[in-house]
Amino acid sequence: MAAHRCGFLPPLFILCALSVLTVTWTQETIPLGSHRAAAADSKPTDTKSVAQTTEQLAVEQRQWEATEVEEATSAAAAVSKQDNSSPEDVVQTSTPKPKDEFQEELVVRPLHSGDIYASFQFRTLWQTDFTRERKVSHYGLFPKSLGQVISKFSVRELHISFTQGYWRTMQWGQPFLSSPPGAELWVWFQDTVTDVDGTWKELANVLSGIFCASLNFIDSTNTVQPTASFKPLGIGNVTDHRFLRYATLPREIVCTENLTPWKKLLPCGTKAGLAVLLKSEKLFHSSFYSQAVHIRPVCQDWQCKTASWELRQTLNVVFDLHNSGQGKREWSLFKMFSRTLTEACPLASTSKIYIDVTDNPEGEQFELSPATALLSQAVVLGDRRTFSVYDLTQQITFGTVRSLNVLMRWKSSEGDMLRPLLHAERYVAGYGLQTGEIHTLMYNNHPYRSFPVLLLDSVPWYLRMYIHTLTVTSKGKDNKPSYIHYQPSKDRVRPHLLEMLVQLPPNSVTEVTVEFERALLKWTEYTPDPNHGFYVGSSVISSLVPSLVALDTNSTWQRPLFSTFFPCKEESSYFVRVYTEPLLVNLPTPDFSMPYNVICLTCTVVAVGYGSLYNLLTRTFQIEEPSPGLAKRP
Amino acid sequence: MTLFTLLFLLSSCLLVYCINIEDNVGQFFSSGHTNNWAVLVCTSRFWFNYRHVANTLSVYRSVKRLGIPDSHIVLMLADDMACNHRNPKPATVFSHKNMELNVYGDDVEVDYRGYEVTVENFLRVLTGRLPPSTPRSKRLLSDDRSNILIYLTGHGGNGFLKFQDSEEISNVELADAFEQMWQKRRYNELLFIIDTCQGASMYERFYSPNLMALASSQVGEDSLSHQPDVGIGVHLMDRYTFYLLEFLEDIHPASKTCMNDLFKVCPKSQCVSTPGHRTDLFLRDPGSVLVTDFFGSVRKVEITMDSINLTSVVSHRKEEPAANGELQKEVYSYSDQLPVSEIIHQ
């Protein structure tokens, strides 16, 4: 409207100005708002707003107070300091609020080699039913992207992990949750799914978009259907292995682009709570980095009559002492993450830091500051460990400086590390580019107990395994597995799947050997960098390891998160999963510059040879009289 | 008298203001786009091609800073430099020596990475012919009112661009892909920037309307890299993109810089090669095209005074009491993780 008024506006203004002049002679105020109103008549005049400001402010204040009072009652009920398992119906609004709960914790464990292991766990519990026909539409703390994935693909359990580096069991002990290098995805589908393979492929594609990873390379050539490993970790009665799929991509890189969407799934994001420590420049400058997402249905309370969905996001990282560039052994939150903590996530019901001080009962090994009176004991990985606890929901934890930087200074470094009871290695033996041997070594370091171990091997089709050469030996003698399942590979369709249940004798090394032959791929099947080699995924070793202390088989409530991941059914042993290294094998690789050279050479030879032959056969020589010159002889 | 001078000043201000309004309104209706997309591709693999990844990431950074959200950017990086084991500072990609500017940042979303960056995937993204289960972040969901920025970098030659050391895309294929996009009305205007050796050969064969193209070097010339970093050990950026980044750092979402200034980026004295551009297929005059028409995502807002009544669309669902009835039926339990006897008798 202002556009076509512009032409005759200046004279109009002059008239206005004259009127203004007359007004100013009578009053003192200069109404600047007059010409503004002519130009843009959508804005209300300032004078009116100024007059009403004080009134409005009072009204607004009153409104703000009213909402505060409402919020206070709901907040007091929801965020209580006791360990309530299910939050109550808190807000009397007209829409039903989803009942969800968020907990976060960080466990810091100093390792014997001087490195330090930090494990973050973020858990969102939500009592809802994704399998109902009417779609869930109100999301609270549970991320919507994952909720839609669960309901659309009828997922019962989903476990996905991205790892960079290899976990050194002999130097670092056992991790809380192990994961193989690269990407690993395993899913249990609901029994209502009719086409499991098609759903699996679509699910891998969707997850590749969510996590910015190339999971779309998961297809039938690297997917297996284990028959005994990977039992569901959540509740439920269905264990038909037709609904289970497992795939691993050992070549997958993990970098900030995978961490970014992972952080966005957290309720508080990276703004508050423990997630402010997750800075990629520090996390990827480490010896081991692993991030994972685990979704499964769990018991809502100790009675276990209703199920609620649990989303666990875990992040494990091991920082190297020498990489950080300091001589003396000293670790702090600031040194590890280049950040300190200032507040807990307001949406979290519990937010704690656990520092493992089992090797430091009197403070003789290292000194922990700021001092904390809270101590907690938990049985994790079959051992009773003592932890110093910092509760971030208490304001007193942050002290007068309003920030928490946990500092550990070492005085002496004595003591031996407890040897891990189960440990595995894997390597390729042989020479040349035609045949080879895969050796898998499993160590049982328990002095007198033997325990069963389930080995899962998934080998790509281009390594043709000869199962008749499979040998399992312990202490030099043959050790016959009590269960073997082998599914042969099909070229370009299916990989090999080998599952064996082996009893490991005490204090021994069990060696599994199998020979293979390398296949020649079609020239289009090579990657752009074929001389790097081809990866074979890690073996998975699932086992029930004897525990040093009795485990609690009752409800998992009121226990720290890191000790409640694997459900425990018996007191004397705990379940553990160990991954071996991935293998890198060279396949016979053609020289890709050769086709051009061959074409040139062949064409030259053909041209020269055929041309000469043709000339020889068809060219005739004729003697010609030299023609007399134009000048005639007289 | 002072009042008169004051009024005179006010009237002159108003005149200027009027003229400005006319100008703004004119520009409001000149560019016909409503949304912006960007497709940024780095086609080189291996550590010594660090500079190509840094090129792409610096354009990504500028484009994000000027307003295009991640959901509208398709970023394709053929190799991972940030978390490469040869990188002395992991999770960083620097564009200036002495590690001044980390273009990788903390909030990056790479849509196609590693082996996924192929000629086929690139052409499928452009033409929209993707398998049905492709996630949204990997699709170019542009419409006929979208302005698209396409940036390619890598190793190239006369008429081709090399993808990952194993395949090539030719200028004819690229021109045909753009024609497909035009026929399917997948763009309103398209800006194509290429930073490779002999880059001008890639836009020679375009024939669809509303295309503007920039290249870092003419046919027969090589694009050169800018500066190596002794700490990292490789060249960090190419010259053309380095000066392009410098130019873009001065642009903010409301700036009025036009395309003619973009054509002057990196003259022969700085670039050693001669950058070229092509505007004959473009319908508007490049002097009136803003840089933010392609690099930014300026939202045009229309203020209205009408009030709209929002009726509550969502019907309130109560929790079903039948769910409580099922409580007494079954008790759930966790499965045994390693049921040895079960497995043996399987």
Side-chain angles (χ1 to χ4, degrees):
Chain A
M1 291 229 286
H4 57 262
R5 269 202 197 170
C6 238
F8 47 86
L9 202 52
L12 186 68
F13 172 66
I14 291 169
L15 279 170
C16 287
L18 284 169
S19 60
V20 159
L21 263 177
T22 51
V23 167
T24 51
W25 283 111
T26 53
Q27 287 181 19
E28 285 295 315
T29 55
I30 305 172
L32 275 166
S34 62
H35 62 272
R36 289 272 171 80
D41 51 7
S42 54
K43 262 199 296 188
T45 53
D46 290 312
T47 50
K48 200 170 84 167
S49 64
V50 164
Q52 283 182 351
T53 313
T54 46
E55 267 184 43
Q56 281 173 359
L57 200 63
V59 165
E60 277 166 4
Q61 269 176 352
R62 269 181 270 136
Q63 282 175 346
W64 181 246
E65 274 176 29
T67 50
E68 264 182 13
V69 166
E70 259 183 73
E71 284 290 329
T73 48
S74 58
V79 184
S80 53
K81 293 296 178 284
Q82 322 132 19
D83 278 354
N84 278 338
S85 49
S86 59
E88 306 87 349
D89 284 317
V90 288
V91 180
Q92 304 300 319
T93 52
S94 46
T95 52
K97 204 172 170 184
K99 291 173 245 187
D100 46 13
E101 187 194 1
F102 176 66
Q103 298 165 324
E104 56 178 16
E105 73 177 30
L106 163 63
V107 182
V108 175
R109 189 167 99 193
L111 299 170
H112 196 69
S113 54
D115 306 327
I116 195 151
Y117 170 37
S119 171
F120 291 83
Q121 288 219 16
F122 301 94
R123 177 165 91 154
T124 309
L125 267 179
W126 194 20
Q127 193 206 343
T128 183
D129 192 1
F130 282 112
T131 54
R132 265 195 307 196
E133 278 88 46
R134 265 186 301 182
K135 301 273 188 316
V136 178
S137 55
H138 288 109
Y139 286 87
L141 300 175
F142 201 93
K144 184 172 175 186
S145 51
L146 290 181
Q148 288 180 327
V149 162
I150 297 172
S151 42
K152 179 162 183 215
F153 297 107
S154 308
V155 165
R156 197 170 121 211
E157 257 187 54
L158 188 142
H159 302 269
I160 182 167
S161 74
F162 296 95
T163 311
Q164 179 202 70
Y166 178 65
W167 183 269
R168 300 186 170 83
T169 314
M170 289 311 276
Q171 286 143 315
W172 297 342
Q174 288 280 7
F176 296 125
L177 271 175
S178 52
S179 47
E184 185 202 40
L185 172 67
W186 61 279
V187 174
W188 274 93
F189 291 97
Q190 305 275 359
D191 47 1
T192 52
V193 174
T194 44
D195 177 19
V196 182
D197 287 316
T199 319
W200 164 255
K201 185 86 177 84
E202 279 186 36
L203 175 64
N205 277 330
V206 165
L207 289 174
S208 85
I210 294 178
F211 291 105
C212 289
S214 25
L215 296 175
N216 44 322
F217 285 128
I218 291 179
D219 55 7
S220 65
T221 59
N222 46 26
T223 308
V224 289
Q225 188 184 317
T227 54
S229 312
F230 292 104
K231 294 268 183 239
L233 285 168
I235 57 180
N237 300 327
V238 177
T239 50
D240 187 351
H241 280 260
R242 280 184 299 135
F243 297 103
L244 168 65
R245 292 290 183 273
Y246 171 83
T248 170
L249 291 172
R251 185 72 160 112
E252 191 66 20
I253 315 151
V254 192
C255 209
T256 313
E257 65 250 23
N258 306 111
L259 181 62
T260 309
W262 188 93
K263 286 196 284 195
K264 288 185 180 161
L265 297 173
L266 296 170
C268 278
T270 47
K271 305 279 194 303
L274 291 170
V276 299
L277 298 175
L278 301 175
K279 293 290 158 197
S280 57
E281 285 184 16
K282 281 291 191 175
L283 286 176
F284 290 104
H285 200 51
S286 56
S287 307
F288 178 83
Y289 169 85
S290 169
Q291 68 180 54
V293 169
H294 302 277
I295 302 176
R296 57 176 179 162
V298 291
C299 295
Q300 199 192 343
D301 49 22
W302 64 272
Q303 282 176 324
C304 212
K305 290 210 178 147
T306 43
S308 50
W309 283 89
E310 178 195 75
L311 163 69
R312 258 191 217 235
Q313 290 176 252
T314 62
L315 197 144
N316 294 333
V317 61
V318 174
F319 292 104
D320 193 283
L321 176 68
H322 303 292
N323 232 352
S324 55
Q326 209 172 344
K328 56 184 160 79
R329 191 172 164 188
E330 182 186 287
W331 285 108
S332 69
L333 282 184
F334 187 77
K335 191 171 171 202
M336 289 195 276
F337 304 108
S338 68
R339 289 286 183 284
T340 58
L341 290 165
T342 49
E343 55 167 345
C345 173
L347 300 168
S349 58
T350 62
S351 177
K352 294 198 172 122
I353 300 183
Y354 293 87
I355 314 284
D356 191 334
V357 293
T358 321
D359 299 321
N360 192 32
E362 311 297 325
E364 70 271 5
Q365 276 228 347
F366 61 86
E367 176 202 322
L368 185 62
S369 69
T372 174
L374 293 170
L375 273 182
S376 149
Q377 279 207 337
V379 177
V380 60
L381 297 171
D383 193 14
R384 188 176 299 279
R385 312 288 294 180
T386 316
F387 298 92
S388 290
V389 184
Y390 293 87
D391 191 350
L392 297 177
T393 48
Q394 313 278 357
Q395 203 49 40
I396 198 169
T397 319
F398 297 103
T400 45
V401 293
R402 306 270 177 89
S403 95
L404 174 67
N405 181 21
V406 180
L407 180 65
M408 287 173 279
R409 232 182 250 114
W410 262 262
K411 298 179 230 174
S412 71
S413 52
E414 293 146 12
D416 284 321
M417 189 184 75
L418 205 66
R419 272 219 305 186
L421 292 174
L422 176 64
H423 165 56
E425 280 171 4
R426 195 181 187 209
Y427 57 89
V428 172
Y431 59 90
L433 283 177
Q434 187 162 4
T435 55
E437 272 180 27
I438 298 182
H439 292 244
T440 311
L441 297 161
M442 293 181 284
Y443 296 83
N444 177 357
N445 292 323
H446 201 281
Y448 54 84
R449 289 271 301 267
S450 72
F451 49 84
V453 140
L454 189 58
L455 171 68
L456 172 79
D457 247 328
S458 161
V459 178
W461 63 267
Y462 40 80
L463 297 187
R464 303 213 164 96
M465 303 227 292
Y466 293 122
I467 292 295
H468 71 278
T469 59
L470 174 71
T471 60
V472 184
T473 48
S474 308
K475 293 181 174 172
K477 287 186 298 201
D478 220 12
N479 183 352
K480 192 164 171 336
S482 19
Y483 169 77
I484 298 187
H485 171 81
Y486 174 64
Q487 191 187 43
S489 70
K490 212 166 165 187
D491 270 10
R492 297 175 183 89
V493 170
R494 250 194 346 236
H496 298 271
L497 173 66
L498 177 64
E499 268 185 282
M500 291 196 298
L501 183 66
V502 182
Q503 192 80 7
L504 300 184
N507 209 10
S508 67
V509 180
T510 306
E511 187 168 343
V512 177
T513 322
V514 66
E515 283 179 35
F516 66 86
E517 190 185 65
R518 295 167 217 237
L520 189 63
L521 299 178
K522 294 182 187 169
W523 73 282
T524 48
E525 288 170 346
Y526 288 97
T527 55
D529 52 352
N531 291 302
H532 179 90
F534 289 77
Y535 281 89
V536 178
S538 317
S539 300
V540 188
I541 293 162
S542 323
S543 163
L544 279 174
V545 178
S547 155
L548 294 170
V549 296
L551 301 164
D552 184 12
T553 52
N554 285 338
S555 78
T556 57
W557 301 109
Q558 307 193 11
R559 269 164 59 184
L561 289 175
F562 57 89
S563 58
T564 60
F565 189 66
F566 291 114
C568 79
K569 291 269 181 169
E570 50 170 325
E571 284 188 332
S572 58
S573 51
Y574 63 96
F575 180 76
V576 75
R577 210 172 263 143
V578 174
Y579 292 91
T580 62
E581 304 97 319
L583 301 174
L584 186 59
V585 289
N586 265 323
L587 291 183
T589 307
D591 181 357
F592 285 103
S593 63
M594 277 315 285
Y596 175 73
N597 298 342
V598 166
I599 291 170
C600 288
L601 198 67
T602 319
C603 290
T604 313
V605 166
V606 165
V608 168
Y610 178 73
S612 310
L613 198 67
Y614 181 78
N615 276 336
L616 237 114
L617 292 174
T618 57
R619 196 161 51 184
T620 55
F621 293 94
Q622 286 173 340
I623 301 173
E624 251 192 41
E625 295 294 320
S627 58
L630 282 174
K632 287 202 176 129
R633 274 193 275 177
Chain B
M1 289 302 110
T2 51
L3 266 169
F4 270 111
T5 50
L6 193 69
L7 286 166
F8 177 69
L9 278 169
L10 283 168
S11 61
S12 53
C13 280
L14 180 66
L15 271 168
V16 172
Y17 181 59
C18 279
I19 294 163
N20 265 345
I21 290 175
E22 266 189 31
D23 260 351
N24 283 342
V25 169
Q27 244 158 22
F28 192 100
F29 292 111
S30 71
S31 67
H33 72 283
T34 57
N35 55 73
N36 282 82
W37 287 81
V39 178
L40 312 172
V41 183
C42 160
T43 60
S44 306
R45 170 164 279 276
F46 304 123
W47 173 245
F48 51 82
N49 289 321
Y50 182 103
R51 60 188 186 279
H52 297 139
V53 173
N55 287 351
T56 319
L57 285 173
S58 38
V59 177
Y60 172 77
R61 179 180 179 278
S62 309
V63 146
K64 257 183 96 157
R65 190 178 52 84
L66 291 171
I68 304 188
D70 267 316
S71 53
H72 283 227
I73 303 177
V74 177
L75 179 62
M76 305 170 83
L77 298 179
D79 202 1
D80 170 54
M81 299 302 165
C83 289
N84 197 315
H85 294 293
R86 285 171 151 147
N87 194 347
K89 296 207 85 186
T92 57
V93 173
F94 292 107
S95 63
H96 290 62
K97 71 172 180 198
N98 302 325
M99 302 182 188
E100 283 163 23
L101 182 60
N102 173 17
V103 288
Y104 195 59
D106 219 5
D107 185 21
V108 58
E109 288 186 15
V110 181
D111 301 306
Y112 287 85
R113 58 184 201 159
Y115 298 129
E116 290 180 293
V117 178
T118 56
V119 173
E120 185 191 338
N121 280 347
F122 175 58
L123 292 177
R124 279 184 187 276
V125 163
L126 286 183
T127 53
R129 295 169 192 242
L130 288 158
S133 53
T134 316
R136 284 179 72 98
S137 59
K138 288 185 164 175
R139 287 180 187 258
L140 180 66
L141 297 165
S142 56
D143 52 29
D144 62 325
R145 289 271 144 254
S146 311
N147 274 12
I148 308 183
L149 164 72
I150 297 187
Y151 177 82
L152 293 175
T153 182
H155 289 289
N158 190 355
F160 68 91
L161 171 63
K162 190 167 74 158
F163 265 69
Q164 291 212 49
D165 211 20
S166 66
E167 50 183 359
E168 298 145 7
I169 185 172
S170 65
N171 48 4
V172 176
E173 280 175 358
L174 196 58
D176 286 342
F178 287 154
E179 176 63 15
Q180 273 195 51
M181 286 174 80
W182 173 251
Q183 290 192 2
K184 282 160 75 170
R185 296 291 178 265
R186 278 172 69 78
Y187 69 90
N188 174 36
E189 284 165 355
L190 200 144
L191 175 64
F192 175 77
I193 305 182
I194 184 161
D195 186 356
T196 62
C197 303
Q198 308 192 51
S201 62
M202 289 304 283
Y203 61 65
E204 273 172 0
R205 301 295 201 111
F206 288 173
Y207 55 93
S208 319
N210 269 345
L211 291 177
M212 196 188 311
L214 277 119
S216 61
S217 55
Q218 301 293 333
V219 174
E221 283 179 350
D222 287 336
S223 283
L224 300 176
S225 59
H226 185 65
Q227 49 182 333
D229 180 285
V230 188
I232 299 178
V234 285
H235 285 258
L236 294 183
M237 281 271 268
D238 277 333
R239 282 173 190 257
Y240 182 74
T241 313
F242 181 82
Y243 291 108
L244 181 70
L245 175 66
E246 247 182 40
F247 173 79
L248 289 174
E249 288 287 305
D250 291 331
I251 309 277
H252 56 90
S255 72
K256 298 273 171 276
T257 327
C258 65
M259 279 299 183
N260 284 335
D261 297 325
L262 190 63
F263 296 151
K264 296 197 200 105
V265 163
C266 206
K268 196 174 165 81
S269 54
Q270 283 174 328
C271 253
V272 185
S273 57
T274 321
H277 59 268
R278 180 179 178 176
T279 52
D280 56 316
L281 294 166
F282 205 74
L283 294 177
R284 284 194 291 153
D285 170 37
S288 68
V289 180
L290 299 176
V291 170
T292 50
D293 274 354
F294 291 103
F295 284 90
S297 177
V298 182
R299 301 266 187 271
K300 305 226 165 58
V301 177
E302 210 179 279
I303 302 175
T304 171
M305 282 308 286
D306 306 325
S307 61
I308 302 168
N309 271 335
L310 292 170
T311 55
S312 85
V313 184
V314 180
S315 57
H316 303 309
R317 282 189 289 123
K318 301 275 189 312
E319 290 278 326
E320 286 168 3
N324 292 327
E326 289 165 19
L327 274 177
Q328 275 75 42
K329 282 186 191 162
E330 50 182 325
V331 176
Y332 294 109
S333 62
Y334 288 100
S335 323
D336 206 356
Q337 289 299 301
L338 195 68
V340 178
S341 49
E342 233 184 83
I343 293 172
I344 292 176
H345 301 297
Q346 212 162 302

